[in-house]
Amino acid sequence: MKDCHIHLMPLIGPEDSPEVFMNKAAAAGIDGGSVMSLPPESFRPDPERSQHWKDRLEGILEYTSKTPGFRPFFWIDPLENDIYEQIAFAASSGITGFKCICNHCYPKSCLKQFSAVAETGLPIHFHSGILFDHYASSDFVRPLAFEPLLEIKNIKFALAHVGNPWVDEYILLYAKFQAAMRNVPGARKLRMFIDLTPGVTKVRRKDMFRMLLLSGYANCTRDILWGTDCRINNYDTAKASFWLNYDRRIIEEIRQECQENPGFFPQLDENLWEKITETNFKEFYGE
């Protein structure tokens, strides 16, 4: 199974070696996924480490070179002066995707930068939903803020956390991207992936899954990814195992409900869990 949302973040105290991480992930049944580099200074200043983009890039490439199956994503700040150099250099250095949290800028103000990412052919992983940072950032990261990405040809992106708490808005945004593809067939390729990473808490999670899977909009099951928000340098096996079991149980309950109500609910594939935790990643990574 794959984990689409793992961070390399600063820690206080010992940090796990790649070998320890691999053992912890395997204990939860995880054998691959996406790992985001250390963040840029604009997200969270870190006086203990260099936050120059080349150092952060080298750091994630070095760590993931020892964790087969786990792919390096480079965290960018689209407002940095040399962002186009960063994107081109990272893409040529072996990065397999980009990460961005628009906590101090609207996505619509950075369409040229995100177009440069799309031109590399690599995916970009955005945060969406309320963000516990030190900015008044909610306007920048709610799902509808990403509607202007419709203007970017060939962009492939994931929105994390199902836009919590704006789940309805998130699902409608996904439906709009699907409609844009149908309305102008062949003119552009737009691909939005749904990142299930919590976000959405236990008390609301079944409602979220029902809204997502039973909404009646274009079939989204091929575009859903599963993730944890764990840290590669201190992977939380218990957290990963909990959400795997919890989400799998909810999805199976909903699938059974659909089977018991043919003609009223869409019929969900028997292999839906495998698609969410394995198959869909191949599409996201462009395999």
Side-chain angles (χ1 to χ4, degrees), residues 50-91:
S50 169
Q51 292 182 287
H52 189 277
W53 66 268
K54 283 190 176 179
D55 293 326
R56 296 187 296 104
L57 177 62
E58 290 174 4
I60 192 63
L61 289 172
E62 179 182 2
Y63 199 106
T64 54
S65 70
K66 303 171 185 175
T67 57
F70 293 88
R71 298 165 181 257
F73 275 53
F74 178 51
W75 193 334
I76 60 172
D77 175 354
L79 299 185
E80 290 186 349
N81 292 333
D82 57 355
I83 185 59
Y84 299 104
E85 178 189 355
Q86 294 184 35
I87 292 168
F89 190 90

Side-chain angles (χ1 to χ4, degrees), residues 2-5 125-126 128 158-164 167 170-171 193-201 205 208-213 220-221 223-229 243-244 246-248 250-251 272-273 275-277 280-281:
K2 305 295 185 288
D3 182 344
C4 78
H5 201 125
H125 206 133
F126 292 103
S128 71
L159 283 188
H161 312 299
V162 202
N164 184 53
V167 175
Y170 183 105
I171 294 171
F193 283 80
I194 297 165
D195 173 5
L196 296 177
T197 299
V200 182
T201 57
R205 201 153 175 85
M208 178 273 289
F209 271 114
R210 294 187 86 257
M211 291 164 61
L212 181 64
L213 297 173
C220 66
T221 58
D223 295 326
I224 302 176
L225 307 173
W226 185 89
T228 64
D229 218 1
W243 285 115
L244 274 168
Y246 194 85
D247 289 351
R248 187 171 191 169
I250 290 174
I251 288 172
L272 177 56
W273 181 249
K275 291 173 70 174
I276 289 171
T277 59
N280 293 349
F281 284 77

Side-chain angles (χ1 to χ4, degrees), residues 131-142:
L131 181 65
F132 295 134
D133 62 356
H134 52 286
Y135 292 97
S137 56
S138 295
D139 280 351
F140 304 135
V141 293
R142 65 180 300 166

Side-chain angles (χ1 to χ4, degrees), residues 121-246:
L122 299 175
I124 183 166
H125 206 133
F126 292 103
H127 176 97
S128 71
I130 197 77
L131 181 65
F132 295 134
D133 62 356
H134 52 286
Y135 292 97
S137 56
S138 295
D139 280 351
F140 304 135
V141 293
R142 65 180 300 166
L144 279 183
F146 294 90
E147 185 181 24
L149 298 182
L150 284 164
E151 299 178 21
I152 300 178
K153 183 179 180 180
N154 297 332
I155 191 169
K156 179 166 59 175
F157 68 99
L159 283 188
H161 312 299
V162 202
N164 184 53
W166 300 290
V167 175
D168 283 336
E169 186 175 296
Y170 183 105
I171 294 171
L172 285 167
L173 179 71
Y174 173 81
K176 180 161 186 178
F177 270 85
Q178 294 296 302
M181 286 292 292
R182 293 195 303 273
N183 293 341
V184 193
R188 53 185 173 178
K189 296 179 181 178
L190 306 166
R191 190 77 179 269
M192 173 179 164
F193 283 80
I194 297 165
D195 173 5
L196 296 177
T197 299
V200 182
T201 57
K202 294 190 291 292
V203 71
R204 296 186 64 236
R205 201 153 175 85
K206 186 171 183 178
D207 290 338
M208 178 273 289
F209 271 114
R210 294 187 86 257
M211 291 164 61
L212 181 64
L213 297 173
L214 308 181
S215 65
Y217 296 117
N219 182 12
C220 66
T221 58
R222 68 188 183 94
D223 295 326
I224 302 176
L225 307 173
W226 185 89
T228 64
D229 218 1
C230 285
R231 298 184 178 189
I232 194 172
N233 45 340
N234 188 17
Y235 198 80
D236 191 335
T237 301
K239 175 182 176 180
S241 298
F242 172 83
W243 285 115
L244 274 168
N245 294 328
Y246 194 85

